[in-house]
């Protein structure tokens, strides 16, 4: 029998402690690095390091503890976000481009979104007992997700997607576009920039639309208008040459297909970008499935796998349904437009862009 004393002299039989320690070690390191990044951005550290500065001058400026500020700068320099010259620090190119509040490609909302997500993950033990948290769907998107998504897609997905659409001959001729569940409206803004005769309409929940308006103002997008509503129940308008539908609950739902078809002009184009499940397909990622199930919406009911909702069709069946209403022009795989994953809601995974055309009667 193994007595308590024996364990002091005998290593565990399972020498595979490495497997566990790899998980714990990387969790430990990257959780702490995240805290550093979150702290640095929430204290506007990068906004104040455009030029070389001594940590003492920095701490005076941002109101932080001098010694801790010095050490924080050391950590940031160690991970490539600050340059060090003698006893002074300054942003590296990456920090300058992505971590300042007012930089065009600022990713600060992404950091906030990860932080908000971690606050839910911290409640995992109690959620495991009480079940998923009830979240109002509108609040979920309004909160900061829309801003985070806007920042994320600016790293490449937006530009790639817009180019895929702009190559269509129908795009140049289009006069009226609907961006269904368009959120931030960046796709519409980009589309109208590429086609000077195009007017775009961003359709979204009223709470989200008030944020859409801010983006439209920032980009001076006077040919992009907004429509407030719930696309499952409200009228989505008509006479569209293009309907663009990206990452929405409803992206695999059969009910919306006839509604979209009806709202399009003859010869109009429906572009849908979503992550689908093929028949018999398992999990795309169990960790993401768990995150997906930590919260639940009042309106559309989630199913167990990430991005799946009650009433969704499998990929094969959705394609068959589309073919009843449209002709399929192209199916573009995610490698043509994807951005880097963040292991959170919003990741592209194996999404596809399906482009289809409403045949003239
Ligand atoms: C994941 S975001 C996608 C935003 C944008 N289309 C993109 O691809 O980056 C989903 C958007 O759909 C909106 N949405 C979800 N359900 C909706 C509904 N029933 N009616 C209107 N908008 C909805 C959300 O408010 C949110 O702005």
């Amino acid at each position: 029998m193994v007595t308590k004393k024996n364990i002091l002299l005998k290593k565990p039989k399972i020498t595979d402690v490495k497997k566990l320690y790899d998980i714990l070690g990387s969790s430990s390191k990257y959780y702490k690095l995240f805290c550093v990044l979150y702290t640095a951005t929430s204290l506007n550290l990068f906004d104040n390091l455009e030029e070389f500065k001594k940590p003492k001058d920095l701490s005076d400026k941002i109101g932080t503890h001098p010694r801790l500020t010095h050490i924080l700068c050391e950590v940031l320099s160690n991970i490539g976000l600050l340059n060090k010259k003698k006893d002074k620090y300054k942003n590296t190119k990456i920090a300058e481009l992505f971590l300042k509040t007012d930089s065009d490609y600022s990713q600060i909302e992404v950091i906030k979104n990860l932080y908000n997500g971690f606050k839910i993950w911290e409640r995992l033990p109690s959620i495991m007992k009480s079940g998923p948290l009830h979240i109002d769907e509108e609040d979920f998107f309004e909160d900061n997700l829309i801003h985070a998504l806007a920042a994320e897609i600016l790293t490449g997905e937006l530009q790639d997607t817009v180019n895929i659409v702009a190559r269509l001959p129908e795009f140049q001729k289009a006069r009226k576009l609907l961006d269904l569940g368009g959120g931030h409206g960046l796709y519409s803004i980009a589309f109208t920039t590429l086609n000077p005769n195009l007017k775009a309409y961003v359709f979204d929940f009223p709470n989200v639309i008030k944020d859409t308006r801010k983006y439209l103002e920032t980009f001076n997008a006077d040919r992009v208008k907004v429509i407030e509503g719930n696309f499952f129940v409200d009228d989505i308008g008509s006479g569209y040459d293009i309907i663009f539908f990206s990452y929405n609950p409803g992206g695999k739902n059969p009910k919306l297909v006839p509604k979209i078809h009806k709202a399009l002009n003859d010869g109009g184009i429906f572009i849908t970008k979503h992550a689908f499940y093929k028949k018999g397909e398992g999990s795309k990622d169990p960790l993401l499935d768990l995150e997906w199930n930590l919260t639940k919406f009042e309106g559309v009911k989630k199913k167990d796998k990430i991005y799946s909702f009650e009433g969704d069709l499998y990929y094969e069946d959705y394609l068959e349904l589309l073919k009843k209403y449209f002709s399929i022009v192209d199916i573009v795989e995610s490698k043509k437009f994807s951005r880097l994953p963040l292991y959170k809601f919003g990741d592209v995974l194996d999404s596809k862009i399906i482009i289809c055309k409403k045949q003239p009667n």
Side-chain angles (χ1 to χ4, degrees):
M1 213 178 82
V2 182
T3 69
K4 257 293 183 224
K5 267 185 192 160
N6 282 354
I7 67 162
L8 303 179
L9 305 173
K10 203 167 175 237
K11 285 188 186 174
K13 266 205 191 108
I14 305 161
T15 47
D16 216 0
V17 70
K18 184 177 183 313
K19 216 168 189 173
L20 175 64
Y21 266 50
D22 279 350
I23 299 170
L24 295 179
S26 53
S27 306
S28 169
K29 176 175 174 179
Y30 291 107
Y31 177 71
K32 289 165 197 173
L33 283 181
F34 178 79
C35 293
V36 164
L37 211 50
Y38 178 74
T39 303
T41 48
S42 60
L43 291 170
N44 301 325
L45 179 142
F46 299 105
D47 294 337
N48 287 283
L49 281 182
E50 289 174 340
E51 302 301 335
F52 276 110
K53 215 174 246 162
K54 286 186 177 173
K56 176 70 178 80
D57 296 335
L58 176 66
S59 66
D60 284 348
K61 187 87 206 283
I62 62 175
T64 49
H65 187 278
R67 187 161 55 91
L68 288 176
T69 307
H70 190 176
I71 305 172
L72 193 76
C73 286
E74 268 302 297
V75 176
L76 290 168
S77 153
N78 200 34
I79 57 172
L81 295 178
L82 293 182
N83 282 320
K84 186 179 177 184
K85 198 158 79 182
K86 290 188 183 149
D87 57 347
K88 291 181 176 174
Y89 298 88
K90 173 187 159 176
N91 293 337
T92 56
K93 260 194 188 154
I94 299 179
E96 215 27 50
L97 194 57
F98 297 117
L99 297 174
K100 288 195 311 184
T101 317
D102 61 357
S103 56
D104 286 345
Y105 297 102
S106 179
Q107 297 295 303
I108 291 182
E109 291 293 341
V110 180
I111 295 171
K112 280 188 200 159
N113 185 246
L114 284 165
Y115 178 78
N116 291 342
F118 291 162
K119 281 196 287 190
I120 298 178
W121 275 98
E122 276 170 15
R123 295 166 66 180
L124 185 57
S126 74
I127 296 175
M128 290 304 296
K129 297 207 166 162
S130 58
L133 298 174
H134 275 269
I135 290 198
D136 186 88
E137 198 182 349
E138 247 178 283
D139 295 344
F140 176 75
F141 287 113
E142 181 203 359
D143 187 16
N144 119 300
L145 180 67
I146 282 308
H147 305 299
L149 270 182
E152 288 166 39
I153 62 169
L154 269 169
T155 63
E157 182 177 0
L158 170 71
Q159 301 84 346
D160 287 341
T161 304
V162 165
N163 282 331
I164 290 166
V165 175
R167 280 202 297 269
L168 299 168
E170 291 86 354
F171 175 78
Q172 293 308 332
K173 289 187 225 138
R175 295 290 175 269
K176 190 175 172 187
L177 178 147
L178 174 66
D179 186 357
L180 203 49
H184 40 71
L186 293 190
Y187 285 105
S188 286
I189 300 171
F191 289 139
T192 51
T193 308
L194 281 172
N195 175 344
N197 299 313
L198 186 70
K199 225 174 169 185
Y201 295 82
V202 179
F203 186 105
D204 213 300
F205 289 130
N207 280 358
V208 176
I209 286 293
K210 63 180 170 34
D211 287 335
T212 316
R213 288 202 172 93
K214 290 184 199 148
Y215 283 93
L216 301 187
E217 243 169 65
T218 307
F219 287 91
N220 248 327
D222 48 0
R223 277 179 291 117
V224 183
K225 308 289 171 207
V226 291
I227 308 174
E228 296 180 357
N230 176 338
F231 52 62
F232 282 117
V233 291
D234 296 317
D235 182 17
I236 58 170
S238 60
Y240 299 109
D241 300 306
I242 298 182
I243 296 183
F244 181 75
F245 193 32
S246 165
Y247 301 145
N248 275 278
K252 301 181 277 288
N253 191 304
K255 284 190 199 140
L256 288 175
V257 174
K259 193 168 180 172
I260 289 167
H261 179 264
K262 196 166 156 227
L264 273 172
N265 289 330
D266 284 349
I269 298 284
F270 173 40
I271 300 155
T272 173
K273 177 164 65 155
H274 290 94
F276 293 89
Y277 283 88
K278 293 192 173 135
K279 281 180 188 160
E281 182 178 339
S283 168
K284 294 188 193 287
D285 186 320
L287 191 60
L288 290 176
D289 292 346
L290 185 56
E291 177 162 278
W292 183 244
N293 283 281
L294 298 184
T295 53
K296 64 177 175 190
F297 300 148
E298 268 319 312
V300 275
K301 303 262 175 299
K302 290 180 180 178
K303 290 203 66 179
D304 53 353
K305 293 189 222 134
I306 176 114
Y307 303 146
S308 65
F309 294 95
E310 232 169 69
D312 279 0
L313 294 185
Y314 287 116
Y315 180 55
E316 296 87 340
D317 295 337
Y318 195 81
L319 268 188
E320 282 313 305
L321 178 69
L322 284 180
K323 283 178 193 162
K324 284 191 187 144
Y325 286 87
F326 303 94
S327 56
I328 308 284
V329 175
D330 199 4
I331 299 176
V332 184
E333 300 295 333
S334 63
K335 62 175 186 293
K336 295 271 171 64
F337 57 85
S338 187
R339 56 192 143 82
L340 297 169
L342 289 164
Y343 298 95
K344 72 169 188 76
F345 179 92
D347 280 0
V348 176
L349 305 179
D350 58 352
S351 293
K352 294 174 200 305
I353 297 178
I354 307 175
I355 302 170
C356 32
K357 184 171 176 132
K358 175 172 172 173
Q359 290 311 331
N361 279 328

